[in-house]
Amino acid sequence: MNDWNRNGKYDMSDSFIDYHMANNGTSGNSSDWWKWVLLAVVVGVCPPLGIVIFLVALFLG
C-alpha cells in the first residue's frame, strides 16, 4: 500500500485513495462509444428515427 499523502504512515486517507483507484468505474463514459456508433448507423439509415432516439437519450440521461 502506498503512502499517498506522504505523512509516514498508511492511514484512512491513503486507504480512501487506494479504494477509489481500484474502483475507478471503468464502465463509465469511455466504454459507451458503441452507443454513438449505433446512433450514427441509425441516423444514416433512417434520419427521423435517429433524431427521435437522440432526443429521448438526451432527456432520459
Side-chain angles (χ1 to χ4, degrees):
M1 300 296 170
N2 292 326
D3 182 19
W4 294 105
N5 58 2
R6 305 205 190 283
N7 64 352
K9 60 183 176 181
Y10 184 79
D11 54 8
M12 273 178 90
S13 299
D14 301 320
S15 176
F16 179 79
I17 294 171
D18 281 337
Y19 174 80
H20 283 285
M21 286 179 67
N23 301 308
N24 61 2
T26 56
S27 63
N29 292 337
S30 63
S31 65
D32 291 340
W33 62 270
W34 63 270
K35 293 179 183 177
W36 294 108
V37 172
L38 181 64
L39 180 63
V41 170
V42 170
V43 169
V45 173
C46 182
L49 180 62
I51 292 170
V52 170
I53 291 172
F54 177 74
L55 291 175
V56 168
L58 187 66
F59 288 120
L60 296 180

